Amino acid sequence: MNLTKWFAIGLSCTTALSVIPATQAAEYQVGAVISLTGVNARGGTGMHEGIKVAESVFNQRGGNVQIKVETINDESSPAKAVAAVERLAANKVVAITGGATSDIVGPAATAADKLGLPFMTSGGTSSEFLTQGFKSFFRINNTTGYVKAMAGLLETMQVKKLAVIYSTKKSTSEMARMMQQYMAEKGVVVTMHPFEATTVDFKPIINKIKLQDKPDAINMIGYENDYVGILRATRVLKPQVKAMVGAWQIATSKMYQDFPDLVDKTYGTEMLPVPVTFNRPEGQAFEAAFRKLYPHEPDYLSQYGFVQGMLLFEAIARAEAAGTLDKGGIAQELRSTPVDTIIGNVRFTEQGDNEEFVQNIGQHQKGNIVIVWPESASTGAMQFPGTPW
């Protein structure tokens, strides 16, 4: 399915469609279990903004279904995420979306599966979700796509020695192991440096890397607070590396806004250049609705939230039209309908994995985010060698 046509209609008819009487459309509640506070707050907030934009765009286009998103903040707690799923099920939601990290998604998706609710995320990238036997779990991205992107960038840089600093959390540990294996197979010498999620002083690790490993580049695999701590330590100790490459949640406009001196010239996974530009109607619809709701630049986290929301809402509408909404129709529609989205094609396997997922890499460059890998998606030249200090 190509969404261009109805997005174009939505853009031109927003005002008119907004006055369609509510009685003509069936309203369905979708639960959003998301980390708006706690250690995952930055990633969770970005995803949630995208979900709310999807709710706005979907409802403005009209049709026989309207969506109301009911959000519960899981406070970055797996136990509270499970409680939120159970509470939303009691409130008769037809599906759930959200989950900022794999540690949250795991228990939340398990609870949703037991309750017979489809669960859609961009935060559960760990491979273990594909072997859990979930009946209706779906994700639009995966660890493999991130690893290929970071490894591809490092190969382009011709890195021969790499130090990997990674959180011992589930998804970050898995990504680190995959990076180690992938780069070692390419002949790169890789040293591994795990840290607990409670770590705030990274100077001992950075000092060891500086004095013993002496790598060409450092690969940071963690989350926002981790990156801030690591980059603060590198600014003090100044290891002789050519690049600092992060995983998710670092190449965002919000990170530059909050920590401009720390993140400039760092690399991270990012689908969007900043300033954001879209050439296609669906991207323009996303950008226009985002700027109406929020006073800052969208980024890939909000982009993912938008895509996961739209995919779910569209599947609900198709299931409603087919009369299968209470017969597993949402999951059936998601599995059987490939969609061309603003992150590329999405095609779900039987286990709910998006087998088409490919990630890009962006670099902070004085307030802009330039897409520097792959070459086919590049919006500018990388500043290499380059570090924040």
Side-chain angles (χ1 to χ4, degrees):
M1 174 181 287
N2 191 313
L3 301 181
T4 299
K5 182 177 179 180
W6 66 255
F7 267 113
I9 295 172
L11 277 173
S12 61
C13 303
T14 296
T15 302
L17 293 173
S18 65
V19 298
I20 290 177
T23 54
Q24 294 183 10
E27 182 178 277
Y28 292 100
Q29 291 191 85
V30 172
V33 178
I34 200 77
S35 303
L36 300 178
T37 57
V39 296
N40 300 324
R42 192 180 298 274
T45 300
M47 184 191 296
H48 186 249
E49 289 176 346
I51 293 168
K52 294 299 288 182
V53 172
E55 177 189 36
S56 175
V57 170
F58 179 86
N59 288 337
Q60 285 179 353
R61 72 169 186 164
N64 294 327
V65 168
Q66 292 280 290
I67 295 295
K68 181 178 181 181
V69 174
E70 182 178 352
T71 301
I72 296 181
N73 176 12
D74 62 35
E75 302 176 38
S76 302
S77 162
K80 291 185 178 179
V82 171
V85 169
E86 293 170 344
R87 179 177 161 190
L88 289 166
N91 290 346
K92 307 299 183 184
V93 300
V94 297
I96 290 176
T97 188
T101 68
S102 293
D103 299 87
I104 297 290
V105 168
T110 299
D113 195 68
K114 290 179 180 177
L115 293 165
L117 290 171
F119 190 98
M120 171 73 78
T121 188
S122 58
T125 59
S126 175
S127 60
E128 70 171 1
F129 297 123
L130 306 183
T131 60
Q132 299 298 305
F134 291 143
K135 298 180 179 62
S136 52
F137 171 82
F138 299 91
R139 65 183 185 189
I140 61 174
N141 51 355
N142 51 53
T143 299
T144 301
Y146 289 106
V147 168
K148 287 182 178 178
M150 290 190 294
L153 175 76
L154 293 165
E155 285 185 73
T156 301
M157 295 173 174
Q158 300 183 329
V159 166
K160 301 300 180 186
K161 297 179 70 177
L162 177 69
V164 179
I165 307 174
Y166 65 98
S167 168
T168 54
K169 285 189 171 183
K170 183 186 304 179
S171 56
T172 45
S173 294
E174 178 182 89
M175 180 180 289
R177 289 193 299 271
M178 291 177 67
M179 280 296 295
Q180 180 187 31
Q181 179 177 353
Y182 192 99
M183 298 304 292
E185 289 174 353
K186 298 296 181 182
V188 176
V189 176
V190 182
T191 53
M192 303 291 281
H193 300 274
F195 64 85
E196 297 295 328
T198 54
T199 302
V200 294
D201 184 3
F202 289 88
K203 287 193 290 294
I205 293 177
I206 297 301
N207 198 45
K208 184 177 181 181
I209 290 172
K210 176 182 177 179
L211 298 178
Q212 297 182 21
D213 299 351
K214 300 179 180 178
D216 300 318
I218 293 176
N219 186 194
M220 306 173 288
I221 301 179
Y223 302 99
E224 299 93 332
N225 292 340
D226 305 324
Y227 301 138
V228 172
I230 292 169
L231 290 169
R232 282 176 173 161
T234 56
R235 188 166 63 177
V236 172
L237 297 172
K238 296 181 174 57
Q240 296 300 305
V241 298
K242 299 175 181 177
M244 301 292 294
V245 180
W248 44 64
Q249 301 179 10
I250 184 169
T252 68
S253 58
K254 182 64 174 172
M255 282 293 277
Y256 189 86
Q257 178 183 336
D258 291 349
F259 308 102
D261 295 336
L262 285 181
V263 301
D264 194 42
K265 294 187 179 64
T266 61
Y267 302 82
T269 54
E270 171 61 273
M271 298 296 283
L272 288 171
V274 175
V276 173
T277 55
F278 286 102
N279 297 322
R280 296 170 54 187
E282 59 265 44
Q284 292 166 352
F286 160 69
E287 182 184 0
F290 189 95
R291 294 189 187 285
K292 187 175 182 179
L293 290 175
Y294 302 105
H296 57 84
E297 289 280 335
D299 58 35
Y300 84 101
L301 295 166
S302 52
Q303 187 184 23
Y304 282 168
F306 174 77
V307 171
Q308 71 192 65
M310 290 302 299
L311 288 170
L312 190 54
F313 305 158
E314 277 296 297
I316 292 169
R318 292 196 301 274
E320 158 72 17
T324 61
L325 197 62
D326 58 351
K327 303 172 184 175
I330 298 173
Q332 292 172 14
E333 293 292 338
L334 287 167
R335 287 196 186 93
S336 63
T337 312
V339 181
D340 182 14
T341 78
I342 61 173
I343 65 166
N345 292 327
V346 174
R347 184 190 305 273
F348 291 115
T349 65
E350 189 63 26
Q351 292 77 28
D353 201 18
N354 174 20
E355 59 186 3
E356 303 274 356
F357 176 65
V358 179
Q359 182 58 271
N360 298 337
I361 298 286
Q363 183 185 30
H364 284 286
Q365 294 183 4
K366 297 296 182 186
N368 295 330
I369 296 175
V370 178
I371 302 300
V372 297
W373 193 94
E375 185 177 358
S376 59
S378 173
T379 60
M382 71 171 70
Q383 295 181 0
F384 178 81
T387 58
W389 57 91

